[in-house]
mmCIF file of all heavy atoms in Angstrom:
data_model
loop_
_atom_site.group_PDB
_atom_site.id
_atom_site.type_symbol
_atom_site.label_atom_id
_atom_site.label_comp_id
_atom_site.label_asym_id
_atom_site.label_seq_id
_atom_site.Cartn_x
_atom_site.Cartn_y
_atom_site.Cartn_z
ATOM 1 N N HIS A 911 -152.208 189.802 -31.061
ATOM 2 C CA HIS A 911 -151.281 189.267 -30.060
ATOM 3 C C HIS A 911 -151.938 189.286 -28.689
ATOM 4 O O HIS A 911 -152.387 190.331 -28.211
ATOM 5 C CB HIS A 911 -149.992 190.089 -30.033
ATOM 6 C CG HIS A 911 -149.067 189.800 -31.162
ATOM 7 N ND1 HIS A 911 -148.061 188.862 -31.094
ATOM 8 C CD2 HIS A 911 -149.015 190.323 -32.426
ATOM 9 C CE1 HIS A 911 -147.423 188.812 -32.246
ATOM 10 N NE2 HIS A 911 -147.970 189.690 -33.074
ATOM 11 N N LEU A 912 -152.004 188.108 -28.055
ATOM 12 C CA LEU A 912 -152.639 187.964 -26.744
ATOM 13 C C LEU A 912 -151.586 187.579 -25.710
ATOM 14 O O LEU A 912 -150.983 186.510 -25.782
ATOM 15 C CB LEU A 912 -153.734 186.893 -26.801
ATOM 16 C CG LEU A 912 -154.884 187.171 -27.771
ATOM 17 C CD1 LEU A 912 -155.780 185.942 -27.912
ATOM 18 C CD2 LEU A 912 -155.703 188.367 -27.309
ATOM 19 N N ASP A 913 -151.353 188.471 -24.749
ATOM 20 C CA ASP A 913 -150.368 188.223 -23.695
ATOM 21 C C ASP A 913 -150.968 187.355 -22.590
ATOM 22 O O ASP A 913 -152.051 187.650 -22.066
ATOM 23 C CB ASP A 913 -149.906 189.546 -23.075
ATOM 24 C CG ASP A 913 -149.135 190.415 -24.051
ATOM 25 O OD1 ASP A 913 -148.285 189.865 -24.774
ATOM 26 O OD2 ASP A 913 -149.384 191.642 -24.088
ATOM 27 N N ILE A 914 -150.240 186.295 -22.218
ATOM 28 C CA ILE A 914 -150.663 185.402 -21.137
ATOM 29 C C ILE A 914 -149.523 185.255 -20.132
ATOM 30 O O ILE A 914 -148.461 184.727 -20.474
ATOM 31 C CB ILE A 914 -151.044 184.006 -21.661
ATOM 32 C CG1 ILE A 914 -152.097 184.098 -22.759
ATOM 33 C CG2 ILE A 914 -151.552 183.129 -20.515
ATOM 34 C CD1 ILE A 914 -152.500 182.756 -23.322
ATOM 35 N N PRO A 915 -149.712 185.700 -18.884
ATOM 36 C CA PRO A 915 -148.685 185.483 -17.860
ATOM 37 C C PRO A 915 -148.666 184.019 -17.436
ATOM 38 O O PRO A 915 -149.708 183.369 -17.347
ATOM 39 C CB PRO A 915 -149.124 186.395 -16.713
ATOM 40 C CG PRO A 915 -150.599 186.523 -16.880
ATOM 41 C CD PRO A 915 -150.866 186.446 -18.357
ATOM 42 N N VAL A 916 -147.470 183.491 -17.149
ATOM 43 C CA VAL A 916 -147.316 182.085 -16.794
ATOM 44 C C VAL A 916 -146.425 181.968 -15.560
ATOM 45 O O VAL A 916 -145.326 182.523 -15.531
ATOM 46 C CB VAL A 916 -146.690 181.270 -17.950
ATOM 47 C CG1 VAL A 916 -146.594 179.796 -17.575
ATOM 48 C CG2 VAL A 916 -147.491 181.447 -19.232
ATOM 49 N N ASN A 917 -146.906 181.260 -14.570
ATOM 50 C CA ASN A 917 -146.106 180.987 -13.379
ATOM 51 C C ASN A 917 -145.112 179.881 -13.726
ATOM 52 O O ASN A 917 -145.464 178.708 -13.811
ATOM 53 C CB ASN A 917 -147.001 180.560 -12.227
ATOM 54 C CG ASN A 917 -146.237 180.262 -10.954
ATOM 55 O OD1 ASN A 917 -145.008 180.349 -10.924
ATOM 56 N ND2 ASN A 917 -146.944 179.894 -9.908
ATOM 57 N N GLN A 918 -143.855 180.239 -13.906
ATOM 58 C CA GLN A 918 -142.853 179.287 -14.393
ATOM 59 C C GLN A 918 -142.458 178.243 -13.361
ATOM 60 O O GLN A 918 -141.816 177.242 -13.695
ATOM 61 C CB GLN A 918 -141.609 180.047 -14.836
ATOM 62 C CG GLN A 918 -140.891 180.775 -13.716
ATOM 63 C CD GLN A 918 -139.755 181.644 -14.217
ATOM 64 O OE1 GLN A 918 -139.601 181.826 -15.428
ATOM 65 N NE2 GLN A 918 -138.962 182.183 -13.304
ATOM 66 N N THR A 919 -142.877 178.424 -12.098
ATOM 67 C CA THR A 919 -142.479 177.474 -11.054
ATOM 68 C C THR A 919 -143.334 176.215 -11.058
ATOM 69 O O THR A 919 -143.004 175.249 -10.373
ATOM 70 C CB THR A 919 -142.563 178.125 -9.665
ATOM 71 O OG1 THR A 919 -143.920 178.504 -9.397
ATOM 72 C CG2 THR A 919 -141.676 179.361 -9.597
ATOM 73 N N ASN A 920 -144.430 176.227 -11.801
ATOM 74 C CA ASN A 920 -145.328 175.079 -11.795
ATOM 75 C C ASN A 920 -145.342 174.413 -13.160
ATOM 76 O O ASN A 920 -145.889 174.954 -14.124
ATOM 77 C CB ASN A 920 -146.737 175.515 -11.393
ATOM 78 C CG ASN A 920 -147.653 174.332 -11.160
ATOM 79 O OD1 ASN A 920 -148.008 173.626 -12.085
ATOM 80 N ND2 ASN A 920 -148.026 174.115 -9.911
ATOM 81 N N LYS A 921 -144.764 173.231 -13.249
ATOM 82 C CA LYS A 921 -144.604 172.544 -14.527
ATOM 83 C C LYS A 921 -145.949 172.217 -15.173
ATOM 84 O O LYS A 921 -146.130 172.400 -16.384
ATOM 85 C CB LYS A 921 -143.798 171.258 -14.325
ATOM 86 C CG LYS A 921 -143.557 170.469 -15.604
ATOM 87 C CD LYS A 921 -142.748 169.210 -15.334
ATOM 88 C CE LYS A 921 -142.563 168.393 -16.613
ATOM 89 N NZ LYS A 921 -141.791 167.143 -16.353
ATOM 90 N N ILE A 922 -146.892 171.714 -14.386
ATOM 91 C CA ILE A 922 -148.193 171.352 -14.946
ATOM 92 C C ILE A 922 -148.898 172.580 -15.496
ATOM 93 O O ILE A 922 -149.482 172.554 -16.586
ATOM 94 C CB ILE A 922 -149.064 170.652 -13.881
ATOM 95 C CG1 ILE A 922 -148.466 169.291 -13.532
ATOM 96 C CG2 ILE A 922 -150.498 170.484 -14.373
ATOM 97 C CD1 ILE A 922 -149.180 168.567 -12.407
ATOM 98 N N TYR A 923 -148.839 173.666 -14.754
ATOM 99 C CA TYR A 923 -149.472 174.910 -15.202
ATOM 100 C C TYR A 923 -148.840 175.390 -16.511
ATOM 101 O O TYR A 923 -149.545 175.786 -17.445
ATOM 102 C CB TYR A 923 -149.333 175.965 -14.107
ATOM 103 C CG TYR A 923 -149.992 177.279 -14.423
ATOM 104 C CD1 TYR A 923 -151.367 177.440 -14.281
ATOM 105 C CD2 TYR A 923 -149.240 178.368 -14.864
ATOM 106 C CE1 TYR A 923 -151.967 178.650 -14.573
ATOM 107 C CE2 TYR A 923 -149.835 179.580 -15.148
ATOM 108 C CZ TYR A 923 -151.201 179.719 -15.002
ATOM 109 O OH TYR A 923 -151.792 180.917 -15.291
ATOM 110 N N VAL A 924 -147.513 175.344 -16.593
ATOM 111 C CA VAL A 924 -146.813 175.747 -17.820
ATOM 112 C C VAL A 924 -147.272 174.888 -18.988
ATOM 113 O O VAL A 924 -147.571 175.396 -20.085
ATOM 114 C CB VAL A 924 -145.288 175.639 -17.636
ATOM 115 C CG1 VAL A 924 -144.576 175.865 -18.971
ATOM 116 C CG2 VAL A 924 -144.801 176.652 -16.611
ATOM 117 N N ASN A 925 -147.365 173.589 -18.767
ATOM 118 C CA ASN A 925 -147.793 172.685 -19.837
ATOM 119 C C ASN A 925 -149.224 172.966 -20.270
ATOM 120 O O ASN A 925 -149.565 172.862 -21.456
ATOM 121 C CB ASN A 925 -147.667 171.236 -19.374
ATOM 122 C CG ASN A 925 -146.224 170.794 -19.220
ATOM 123 O OD1 ASN A 925 -145.310 171.427 -19.753
ATOM 124 N ND2 ASN A 925 -146.002 169.711 -18.495
ATOM 125 N N GLN A 926 -150.082 173.308 -19.317
ATOM 126 C CA GLN A 926 -151.468 173.607 -19.662
ATOM 127 C C GLN A 926 -151.561 174.849 -20.544
ATOM 128 O O GLN A 926 -152.317 174.879 -21.524
ATOM 129 C CB GLN A 926 -152.297 173.783 -18.391
ATOM 130 C CG GLN A 926 -152.596 172.477 -17.666
ATOM 131 C CD GLN A 926 -153.456 172.675 -16.435
ATOM 132 O OE1 GLN A 926 -153.292 173.636 -15.685
ATOM 133 N NE2 GLN A 926 -154.372 171.759 -16.202
ATOM 134 N N VAL A 927 -150.813 175.886 -20.196
ATOM 135 C CA VAL A 927 -150.854 177.116 -20.990
ATOM 136 C C VAL A 927 -150.266 176.876 -22.381
ATOM 137 O O VAL A 927 -150.771 177.394 -23.383
ATOM 138 C CB VAL A 927 -150.112 178.252 -20.262
ATOM 139 C CG1 VAL A 927 -150.171 179.535 -21.103
ATOM 140 C CG2 VAL A 927 -150.727 178.510 -18.893
ATOM 141 N N GLN A 928 -149.222 176.079 -22.464
ATOM 142 C CA GLN A 928 -148.649 175.753 -23.778
ATOM 143 C C GLN A 928 -149.634 174.962 -24.623
ATOM 144 O O GLN A 928 -149.723 175.152 -25.843
ATOM 145 C CB GLN A 928 -147.337 174.980 -23.593
ATOM 146 C CG GLN A 928 -146.205 175.843 -23.061
ATOM 147 C CD GLN A 928 -144.936 175.075 -22.772
ATOM 148 O OE1 GLN A 928 -144.966 173.857 -22.544
ATOM 149 N NE2 GLN A 928 -143.803 175.764 -22.761
ATOM 150 N N SER A 929 -150.407 174.079 -23.963
ATOM 151 C CA SER A 929 -151.451 173.333 -24.671
ATOM 152 C C SER A 929 -152.509 174.281 -25.220
ATOM 153 O O SER A 929 -152.992 174.116 -26.347
ATOM 154 C CB SER A 929 -152.082 172.313 -23.720
ATOM 155 O OG SER A 929 -153.245 171.740 -24.283
ATOM 156 N N LEU A 930 -152.881 175.267 -24.411
ATOM 157 C CA LEU A 930 -153.859 176.274 -24.837
ATOM 158 C C LEU A 930 -153.353 177.025 -26.067
ATOM 159 O O LEU A 930 -154.089 177.213 -27.049
ATOM 160 C CB LEU A 930 -154.114 177.247 -23.681
ATOM 161 C CG LEU A 930 -155.155 178.330 -23.921
ATOM 162 C CD1 LEU A 930 -156.550 177.755 -23.746
ATOM 163 C CD2 LEU A 930 -154.955 179.487 -22.951
ATOM 164 N N LYS A 931 -152.112 177.435 -26.007
ATOM 165 C CA LYS A 931 -151.503 178.170 -27.128
ATOM 166 C C LYS A 931 -151.541 177.327 -28.406
ATOM 167 O O LYS A 931 -151.941 177.809 -29.474
ATOM 168 C CB LYS A 931 -150.065 178.533 -26.783
ATOM 169 C CG LYS A 931 -149.244 179.136 -27.932
ATOM 170 C CD LYS A 931 -147.822 179.436 -27.469
ATOM 171 C CE LYS A 931 -146.923 179.844 -28.634
ATOM 172 N NZ LYS A 931 -147.330 181.143 -29.212
ATOM 173 N N GLU A 932 -151.159 176.079 -28.278
ATOM 174 C CA GLU A 932 -151.100 175.198 -29.443
ATOM 175 C C GLU A 932 -152.475 175.005 -30.083
ATOM 176 O O GLU A 932 -152.611 175.082 -31.313
ATOM 177 C CB GLU A 932 -150.530 173.840 -29.039
ATOM 178 C CG GLU A 932 -150.422 172.849 -30.190
ATOM 179 C CD GLU A 932 -149.886 171.497 -29.754
ATOM 180 O OE1 GLU A 932 -149.418 171.385 -28.597
ATOM 181 O OE2 GLU A 932 -149.936 170.558 -30.566
ATOM 182 N N SER A 933 -153.499 174.775 -29.273
ATOM 183 C CA SER A 933 -154.819 174.493 -29.844
ATOM 184 C C SER A 933 -155.440 175.739 -30.478
ATOM 185 O O SER A 933 -156.072 175.655 -31.538
ATOM 186 C CB SER A 933 -155.755 173.899 -28.786
ATOM 187 O OG SER A 933 -156.046 174.828 -27.766
ATOM 188 N N VAL A 934 -155.257 176.911 -29.859
ATOM 189 C CA VAL A 934 -155.832 178.136 -30.416
ATOM 190 C C VAL A 934 -155.129 178.527 -31.713
ATOM 191 O O VAL A 934 -155.783 178.838 -32.727
ATOM 192 C CB VAL A 934 -155.762 179.287 -29.389
ATOM 193 C CG1 VAL A 934 -156.143 180.615 -30.043
ATOM 194 C CG2 VAL A 934 -156.686 179.007 -28.213
ATOM 195 N N GLU A 935 -153.808 178.514 -31.696
ATOM 196 C CA GLU A 935 -153.078 178.907 -32.899
ATOM 197 C C GLU A 935 -153.276 177.911 -34.025
ATOM 198 O O GLU A 935 -153.297 178.283 -35.208
ATOM 199 C CB GLU A 935 -151.586 179.060 -32.569
ATOM 200 C CG GLU A 935 -151.295 180.248 -31.670
ATOM 201 C CD GLU A 935 -149.819 180.406 -31.333
ATOM 202 O OE1 GLU A 935 -149.030 179.488 -31.685
ATOM 203 O OE2 GLU A 935 -149.458 181.427 -30.732
ATOM 204 N N SER A 936 -153.439 176.644 -33.684
ATOM 205 C CA SER A 936 -153.681 175.623 -34.709
ATOM 206 C C SER A 936 -155.041 175.821 -35.369
ATOM 207 O O SER A 936 -155.174 175.702 -36.592
ATOM 208 C CB SER A 936 -153.602 174.234 -34.081
ATOM 209 O OG SER A 936 -153.943 173.232 -35.013
ATOM 210 N N ALA A 937 -156.054 176.131 -34.550
ATOM 211 C CA ALA A 937 -157.410 176.285 -35.093
ATOM 212 C C ALA A 937 -157.579 177.584 -35.871
ATOM 213 O O ALA A 937 -158.230 177.609 -36.920
ATOM 214 C CB ALA A 937 -158.427 176.228 -33.954
ATOM 215 N N LEU A 938 -156.978 178.672 -35.376
ATOM 216 C CA LEU A 938 -157.217 179.991 -35.976
ATOM 217 C C LEU A 938 -156.097 180.448 -36.897
ATOM 218 O O LEU A 938 -156.296 181.366 -37.706
ATOM 219 C CB LEU A 938 -157.436 181.028 -34.875
ATOM 220 C CG LEU A 938 -158.590 180.748 -33.912
ATOM 221 C CD1 LEU A 938 -158.709 181.866 -32.878
ATOM 222 C CD2 LEU A 938 -159.906 180.575 -34.659
ATOM 223 N N GLY A 939 -154.927 179.849 -36.790
ATOM 224 C CA GLY A 939 -153.804 180.227 -37.631
ATOM 225 C C GLY A 939 -152.951 181.322 -37.007
ATOM 226 O O GLY A 939 -153.482 182.317 -36.515
ATOM 227 N N LYS A 940 -151.627 181.120 -37.028
ATOM 228 C CA LYS A 940 -150.725 182.100 -36.418
ATOM 229 C C LYS A 940 -150.716 183.433 -37.154
ATOM 230 O O LYS A 940 -150.288 184.450 -36.613
ATOM 231 C CB LYS A 940 -149.303 181.537 -36.369
ATOM 232 C CG LYS A 940 -149.121 180.385 -35.394
ATOM 233 C CD LYS A 940 -147.668 179.940 -35.344
ATOM 234 C CE LYS A 940 -147.484 178.802 -34.364
ATOM 235 N NZ LYS A 940 -146.068 178.344 -34.293
ATOM 236 N N ASP A 941 -151.182 183.432 -38.406
ATOM 237 C CA ASP A 941 -151.268 184.700 -39.128
ATOM 238 C C ASP A 941 -152.474 185.510 -38.665
ATOM 239 O O ASP A 941 -152.611 186.692 -39.022
ATOM 240 C CB ASP A 941 -151.359 184.447 -40.636
ATOM 241 C CG ASP A 941 -152.499 183.500 -41.003
ATOM 242 O OD1 ASP A 941 -152.882 182.671 -40.149
ATOM 243 O OD2 ASP A 941 -152.983 183.585 -42.142
ATOM 244 N N ASN A 942 -153.324 184.868 -37.848
ATOM 245 C CA ASN A 942 -154.509 185.556 -37.321
ATOM 246 C C ASN A 942 -154.412 185.856 -35.828
ATOM 247 O O ASN A 942 -154.772 186.944 -35.376
ATOM 248 C CB ASN A 942 -155.762 184.714 -37.576
ATOM 249 C CG ASN A 942 -156.129 184.648 -39.033
ATOM 250 O OD1 ASN A 942 -156.132 185.666 -39.723
ATOM 251 N ND2 ASN A 942 -156.443 183.452 -39.525
ATOM 252 N N VAL A 943 -153.949 184.867 -35.057
ATOM 253 C CA VAL A 943 -153.875 185.012 -33.596
ATOM 254 C C VAL A 943 -152.584 184.389 -33.090
ATOM 255 O O VAL A 943 -152.245 183.265 -33.464
ATOM 256 C CB VAL A 943 -155.072 184.329 -32.895
ATOM 257 C CG1 VAL A 943 -154.948 184.477 -31.379
ATOM 258 C CG2 VAL A 943 -156.394 184.919 -33.362
ATOM 259 N N VAL A 944 -151.890 185.119 -32.216
ATOM 260 C CA VAL A 944 -150.673 184.617 -31.577
ATOM 261 C C VAL A 944 -150.821 184.773 -30.070
ATOM 262 O O VAL A 944 -151.141 185.859 -29.582
ATOM 263 C CB VAL A 944 -149.415 185.374 -32.050
ATOM 264 C CG1 VAL A 944 -148.182 184.895 -31.282
ATOM 265 C CG2 VAL A 944 -149.214 185.187 -33.541
ATOM 266 N N LEU A 945 -150.614 183.679 -29.345
ATOM 267 C CA LEU A 945 -150.623 183.731 -27.886
ATOM 268 C C LEU A 945 -149.187 183.860 -27.406
ATOM 269 O O LEU A 945 -148.367 182.970 -27.639
ATOM 270 C CB LEU A 945 -151.276 182.473 -27.295
ATOM 271 C CG LEU A 945 -152.808 182.502 -27.148
ATOM 272 C CD1 LEU A 945 -153.487 182.678 -28.499
ATOM 273 C CD2 LEU A 945 -153.301 181.239 -26.460
ATOM 274 N N ASP A 946 -148.876 184.989 -26.777
ATOM 275 C CA ASP A 946 -147.531 185.271 -26.293
ATOM 276 C C ASP A 946 -147.451 184.935 -24.812
ATOM 277 O O ASP A 946 -148.091 185.591 -23.978
ATOM 278 C CB ASP A 946 -147.180 186.742 -26.515
ATOM 279 C CG ASP A 946 -147.131 187.113 -27.994
ATOM 280 O OD1 ASP A 946 -146.461 186.376 -28.741
ATOM 281 O OD2 ASP A 946 -147.759 188.116 -28.384
ATOM 282 N N LEU A 947 -146.676 183.893 -24.481
ATOM 283 C CA LEU A 947 -146.551 183.438 -23.099
ATOM 284 C C LEU A 947 -145.402 184.168 -22.415
ATOM 285 O O LEU A 947 -144.292 184.239 -22.952
ATOM 286 C CB LEU A 947 -146.319 181.926 -23.061
ATOM 287 C CG LEU A 947 -147.264 181.061 -23.892
ATOM 288 C CD1 LEU A 947 -147.031 179.585 -23.583
ATOM 289 C CD2 LEU A 947 -148.716 181.430 -23.645
ATOM 290 N N HIS A 948 -145.668 184.665 -21.214
ATOM 291 C CA HIS A 948 -144.655 185.403 -20.458
ATOM 292 C C HIS A 948 -144.396 184.671 -19.151
ATOM 293 O O HIS A 948 -145.163 184.779 -18.195
ATOM 294 C CB HIS A 948 -145.128 186.833 -20.188
ATOM 295 C CG HIS A 948 -145.407 187.615 -21.427
ATOM 296 N ND1 HIS A 948 -144.422 188.300 -22.112
ATOM 297 C CD2 HIS A 948 -146.552 187.791 -22.141
ATOM 298 C CE1 HIS A 948 -144.949 188.881 -23.179
ATOM 299 N NE2 HIS A 948 -146.243 188.585 -23.221
ATOM 300 N N GLN A 949 -143.319 183.882 -19.124
ATOM 301 C CA GLN A 949 -142.987 183.120 -17.923
ATOM 302 C C GLN A 949 -142.306 184.025 -16.903
ATOM 303 O O GLN A 949 -141.436 184.832 -17.247
ATOM 304 C CB GLN A 949 -142.095 181.928 -18.274
ATOM 305 C CG GLN A 949 -142.790 180.929 -19.187
ATOM 306 C CD GLN A 949 -142.142 179.567 -19.160
ATOM 307 O OE1 GLN A 949 -141.620 179.139 -18.134
ATOM 308 N NE2 GLN A 949 -142.192 178.870 -20.292
ATOM 309 N N MET A 950 -142.718 183.856 -15.631
ATOM 310 C CA MET A 950 -142.215 184.724 -14.572
ATOM 311 C C MET A 950 -142.287 184.015 -13.235
ATOM 312 O O MET A 950 -142.862 182.927 -13.123
ATOM 313 C CB MET A 950 -143.022 186.024 -14.535
ATOM 314 C CG MET A 950 -144.508 185.825 -14.258
ATOM 315 S SD MET A 950 -145.511 187.312 -14.575
ATOM 316 C CE MET A 950 -145.492 187.377 -16.378
ATOM 317 N N SER A 951 -141.731 184.635 -12.209
ATOM 318 C CA SER A 951 -141.755 184.065 -10.866
ATOM 319 C C SER A 951 -143.170 184.080 -10.303
ATOM 320 O O SER A 951 -144.039 184.809 -10.792
ATOM 321 C CB SER A 951 -140.839 184.859 -9.933
ATOM 322 O OG SER A 951 -141.376 186.154 -9.706
ATOM 323 N N SER A 952 -143.380 183.301 -9.252
ATOM 324 C CA SER A 952 -144.696 183.264 -8.605
ATOM 325 C C SER A 952 -145.105 184.645 -8.120
ATOM 326 O O SER A 952 -146.260 185.065 -8.301
ATOM 327 C CB SER A 952 -144.689 182.281 -7.425
ATOM 328 O OG SER A 952 -144.529 180.965 -7.864
ATOM 329 N N ASP A 953 -144.173 185.370 -7.498
ATOM 330 C CA ASP A 953 -144.495 186.700 -6.970
ATOM 331 C C ASP A 953 -144.921 187.648 -8.073
ATOM 332 O O ASP A 953 -145.933 188.358 -7.948
ATOM 333 C CB ASP A 953 -143.286 187.277 -6.218
ATOM 334 C CG ASP A 953 -143.043 186.597 -4.886
ATOM 335 O OD1 ASP A 953 -143.961 185.896 -4.405
ATOM 336 O OD2 ASP A 953 -141.940 186.759 -4.334
#
C-alpha cells in the first residue's frame, strides 16, 4: 500500500494522480500494489 497525498483544490492535479494510480495498478495488479490517494486541503 502506497500513500499519496492529493491537493483536492486542483482538478488537474487530482486527475494526474488518479491517472498515475490507474496505470500502476493496471500494470502491476491490485493484488500486488495499491495506490491509496488521500485528498486534503492545500494547507
Side-chain angles (χ1 to χ4, degrees):
H911 283 268
L912 299 171
D913 294 317
I914 306 179
V916 182
N917 180 359
Q918 64 187 9
T919 62
N920 189 291
K921 181 180 178 181
I922 292 175
Y923 182 79
V924 172
N925 291 342
Q926 286 182 321
V927 180
Q928 289 176 336
S929 170
L930 183 80
K931 172 181 172 67
E932 180 181 350
S933 66
V934 170
E935 291 180 352
S936 175
L938 302 181
K940 291 183 179 180
D941 54 333
N942 290 314
V943 179
V944 176
L945 274 61
D946 296 310
L947 311 188
H948 300 274
Q949 297 200 33
M950 61 193 72
S951 68
S952 293
D953 287 344

